[in-house]
Amino acid sequence: MALGGAGTEGRVAVRDLVKRFGPVAAVDGVSLDVAAGEFVALLGPSGSGKTTILMAIAGFEFPTSGRVEIGGEDVTWAPPNKRNLGMVFQRYTLFPHMSVVENIAFPLKMRGIGRAEREAKAQAALATVRLEGYGARRPSQLSGGQQQRVALARAIVYRPRVLLMDEPLSALDKNLREEMQLEIKHLQQRIGVTVVFVTHDQTEAMTMADRVAVLDRGRLQQVGAPRDLYEAPATPFVAGFIGETNFLPGRAKAAAVAGAPVAVALDGGGEAVATAVGAVPAGVAVRVAVRPERVALSPPSADTLPGTIAEAIYAGVATTCIADIGGDRRLRARIAAGTGLVQWEPGARVGVGWRAEDARAFAAAP
Ligand SMILES: Nc1ncnc2c1ncn2[C@@H]1O[C@H](COP(=O)(O)OP(=O)(O)OP(=O)(O)O)[C@@H](O)[C@H]1O
Ligand SMILES: [Mg+2]
């Protein structure tokens, strides 16, 4: 079943979007392009502006300044019902007194579509979300995951060009949530609709989205494929928010251009190497960011930082070692199981190190 996402119809663009609520800039100059048929997640902590951006795309909030375009058309001031979007929210928003199939057919009824066609389309949408045979039930007779699938069927039944979802899975338990993440992703790929999906769960964003837009305090930090965000975070916020990161403050020993290795004299003693994220002037304050799985532990040597294992936390697939490197600094190193690597015990003296390409140096904002 091909729905309306293909071509340029399903493109979404947000341009220099600002939304103020009194003194608060909930959205502070965000620009974002979503291609037709693309799945983009808006990811950020609570209060970072995710819902406000989605509401501006939907037409439920009007921006203080900036523009919203759908299918190349400026819809900034168009009412929601003129935008041809589907929406699914966190809470189940089904009508309790209607059957499942009546719920799904409701948007078609609002559009003046006849009974037989409504029924056929609602049944097809029900099949799309794998709920054939549940049409006669009331929403209260369904599980949480089934209710969200009905909400999804209702949102796609009239073939919207864009589907907007705001934390649609957050009320579900972990297993069902993971199952639904893949189910929604596969459905989206099958029908080719453009999706803008709000979540504060980084694993969910990485699992589902083609690209993830990371927000902090109303500002866009970085937009990229999950792998790029993880491997090449553009800001310390992204490095800290996506996955786990060790941060070590220090000073650049020499200048480095973006992408070049830079030697850093660490606050608290010792020296480390990292890849410069932007241009790093000599002597400037930097933060070195390195992932726990990129930290290597070895017997002490001249070119590693001397440390002592404070804790070794066994978790089946990997063991996390916390190494004390003095000066009140602790680094996490993750050692995968079954790799034949040494499993260090608390109290062991170790050398801590990493390759320059596995760590990133962020110059402090001037
Ligand atoms: N109607 C409103 N009136 C005043 N302030 C608002 C309003 N809506 C949102 N805000 C503020 O704007 C900021 C962004 O809110 P928003 O709901 O977009 O965040 P969010 O990223 O969706 O957060 P969450 O993950 O908690 O849902 C917050 O500081 C919030 O308090
Ligand atoms: Mg929100």
Side-chain angles (χ1 to χ4, degrees):
M1 179 162 77
L3 299 189
T8 57
E9 273 281 274
R11 269 189 317 183
V12 177
V14 169
R15 304 249 180 262
D16 307 315
L17 189 71
V18 174
K19 178 64 184 182
R20 292 182 186 284
F21 294 106
V24 180
V27 181
D28 196 3
V30 167
S31 294
L32 178 67
D33 277 284
V34 182
E38 191 179 25
F39 194 129
V40 166
L42 303 181
L43 173 69
S46 185
S48 56
K50 306 180 295 292
T51 294
T52 307
I53 294 172
L54 206 71
M55 289 298 120
I57 297 172
F60 293 113
E61 291 279 9
F62 293 126
T64 307
S65 62
R67 291 200 320 278
V68 176
E69 292 170 12
I70 298 174
E73 180 192 345
D74 190 330
V75 295
T76 313
W77 305 103
N81 61 356
K82 292 279 185 271
R83 300 189 184 201
N84 190 23
L85 307 169
M87 298 211 60
V88 182
F89 298 98
Q90 176 173 357
R91 281 165 288 104
Y92 318 129
T93 46
L94 303 175
F95 302 114
H97 58 285
M98 290 184 191
S99 71
V100 162
V101 92
E102 284 165 349
N103 263 281
I104 298 172
F106 187 74
L108 300 173
K109 195 170 179 181
M110 296 305 289
R111 286 166 170 76
I113 291 166
R115 190 179 184 76
E117 189 182 346
R118 280 200 316 257
E119 174 78 19
K121 285 190 164 155
Q123 290 296 349
L126 203 54
T128 306
V129 298
R130 300 197 300 130
L131 282 177
E132 300 101 323
Y134 288 81
R137 293 203 193 182
R138 291 291 161 94
S140 61
Q141 295 170 311
L142 299 177
S143 71
Q146 290 168 335
Q147 289 184 44
Q148 279 308 62
R149 279 194 233 149
V150 174
L152 189 57
R154 187 180 57 183
I156 60 172
V157 73
Y158 51 92
R159 303 184 171 210
R161 47 189 176 175
V162 179
L163 189 54
L164 305 177
M165 292 194 254
D166 194 349
E167 312 247 7
L169 306 178
S170 59
L172 308 180
D173 68 37
K174 187 169 172 291
N175 287 343
L176 183 56
R177 190 177 171 140
E178 287 172 0
E179 193 183 309
M180 289 284 292
Q181 285 167 1
L182 290 177
E183 211 171 287
I184 292 176
K185 183 182 163 81
H186 293 155
L187 172 73
Q188 184 264 342
Q189 288 167 340
R190 210 159 63 238
I191 69 180
V193 68
T194 308
V195 170
V196 183
F197 188 101
V198 164
T199 179
H200 62 262
D201 178 338
Q202 48 149 316
T203 310
E204 183 161 287
M206 308 271 272
T207 302
M208 301 180 79
D210 299 316
R211 286 190 305 149
V212 180
V214 183
L215 291 150
D216 181 35
R217 285 170 293 173
R219 287 172 182 261
L220 196 56
Q221 298 281 309
Q222 189 172 359
V223 189
R227 178 185 294 273
D228 296 334
L229 294 184
Y230 190 85
E231 300 290 343
T235 67
F237 177 84
V238 176
F241 194 70
I242 309 269
E244 234 185 294
T245 298
N246 294 293
F247 283 110
L248 289 169
R251 272 183 196 281
K253 293 187 71 177
V257 297
V262 58
V264 178
L266 299 174
D267 297 353
E271 194 181 312
V273 286
T275 300
V277 172
V280 174
V284 81
V286 298
R287 290 169 84 191
V288 173
V290 58
R291 304 277 186 202
E293 71 273 18
R294 302 291 165 82
V295 174
L297 302 178
S298 55
S301 67
D303 51 2
T304 55
L305 296 165
T308 307
I309 301 297
E311 267 183 81
I313 305 152
Y314 173 79
V317 290
T319 299
T320 301
C321 290
I322 300 176
D324 189 329
I325 58 166
D328 234 4
R329 295 170 302 172
R330 294 185 151 208
L331 275 181
R332 298 168 82 86
R334 185 144 310 124
I335 299 158
T339 50
L341 296 176
V342 181
Q343 300 293 324
W344 299 90
E345 299 293 334
R349 318 272 288 165
V350 292
V352 180
W354 50 82
R355 301 181 308 170
E357 58 264 44
D358 285 338
R360 295 172 68 75
F362 296 99

